[in-house]
Amino acid sequence: SIELETSAHQMYTHVTVSSKKLVSIYAHSFNINENQILSTGIPRTDILFNKNRIIKTVNNVITKYPDFKNTINIVYAPTFRGNPSVRYRFNLNLDWNLISNLLPRNYKIIIKLHPVVKEVYPPIPDFVKDKVVLMPSAESIDDLMVFCDCLITDYSSVIFEYSLLDKPLILFPYDIDTYFDERGFYYPYDEYAYG
């Protein structure tokens, strides 16, 4: 709703975007004036071109999560769903038995939910906790994109930054019709999606 977007972004004086094509989209999405949107590029992509920073980031993640050291790490980063009253709870639409039975032992699925999400449903079952890790909301998706071997997402804009890393991407838009009806897309999904 307009009220939610206004309250969520009302403190912004300016917003940087990656290109002039996005000015009107961000102004509409954030319910702010176009003159508050600056097409300067986005600083969060700077890390993706700094080899020393990439090495440091990877080492920091491994230091913090040593179980990720000798595994193939797949980050699952879905965007939130639903109206504002239900966004805080995310339904993990994953087949736990399939993950348990088919995911090799040296693979980890690292779930990084949108920061607005506060809980998952159903809870991750104990029998996959050696293969699946739910990251705290405070963890940086930017650091996890740099660190991971592969990213799984759906409609999240992280695909644009992630594309700069030239690493595998898997799209999992299991509810594309419902998502489109609720939120819509600024561009046709099949035209910008890759992976």
Side-chain angles (χ1 to χ4, degrees):
S1 75
I2 296 294
E3 296 81 23
L4 174 70
E5 298 305 333
T6 299
S7 66
H9 308 293
Q10 67 184 354
M11 76 292 293
Y12 297 169
T13 59
H14 293 84
V15 174
T16 60
V17 294
S18 59
S19 77
K20 290 180 181 178
K21 290 181 179 182
L22 298 176
V23 170
S24 64
I25 291 171
Y26 273 74
H28 179 261
S29 295
F30 290 177
N31 195 30
I32 59 178
N33 293 322
E34 286 191 18
N35 63 0
Q36 292 175 265
I37 311 291
L38 308 174
S39 59
T40 60
I42 49 176
R44 71 184 279 194
T45 60
D46 292 350
I47 185 180
L48 308 179
F49 299 101
N50 183 328
K51 292 189 187 308
N52 291 332
R53 180 72 192 269
I54 288 172
I55 292 167
K56 183 178 178 182
T57 298
V58 169
N59 288 335
N60 287 344
V61 172
I62 289 172
T63 299
K64 197 168 184 181
Y65 302 97
D67 287 350
F68 299 166
K69 184 173 185 177
N70 295 312
T71 57
I72 305 297
N73 297 292
I74 302 168
V75 170
Y76 176 42
T79 194
F80 56 78
R81 305 288 199 280
N83 63 46
S85 65
V86 298
R87 282 184 190 165
Y88 302 105
R89 187 177 200 206
F90 190 83
N91 181 7
L92 283 171
N93 192 13
L94 299 173
D95 185 331
W96 302 118
N97 289 317
L98 187 68
I99 290 169
S100 176
N101 294 328
L102 296 182
L103 194 68
R105 293 184 72 199
N106 63 328
Y107 279 65
K108 292 258 189 232
I109 295 179
I110 302 165
I111 300 173
K112 174 61 177 108
L113 299 174
H114 191 281
V116 76
V117 175
K118 302 299 180 210
E119 66 178 289
V120 296
Y121 179 83
I124 298 170
D126 288 339
F127 69 90
V128 294
K129 287 197 174 174
D130 62 328
K131 295 180 180 182
V132 179
V133 177
L134 179 62
M135 297 302 280
S137 63
E139 289 297 337
S140 164
I141 186 61
D142 299 328
D143 290 352
L144 292 174
M145 285 191 301
V146 166
F147 169 75
C148 75
D149 297 294
C150 178
L151 176 71
I152 301 173
T153 191
D154 42 34
Y155 322 108
S156 175
S157 64
V158 298
I159 67 168
F160 300 112
E161 290 87 7
Y162 188 75
S163 71
L164 300 172
L165 293 168
D166 196 30
K167 295 198 287 187
L169 172 76
I170 298 171
L171 295 173
F172 184 43
Y174 61 88
D175 61 349
I176 192 166
D177 294 332
T178 304
Y179 187 88
F180 179 79
D181 291 345
E182 287 178 0
R183 309 249 350 217
F185 296 108
Y186 283 103
Y187 299 109
Y189 184 72
D190 59 347
E191 288 182 18
Y192 73 80
Y194 69 96

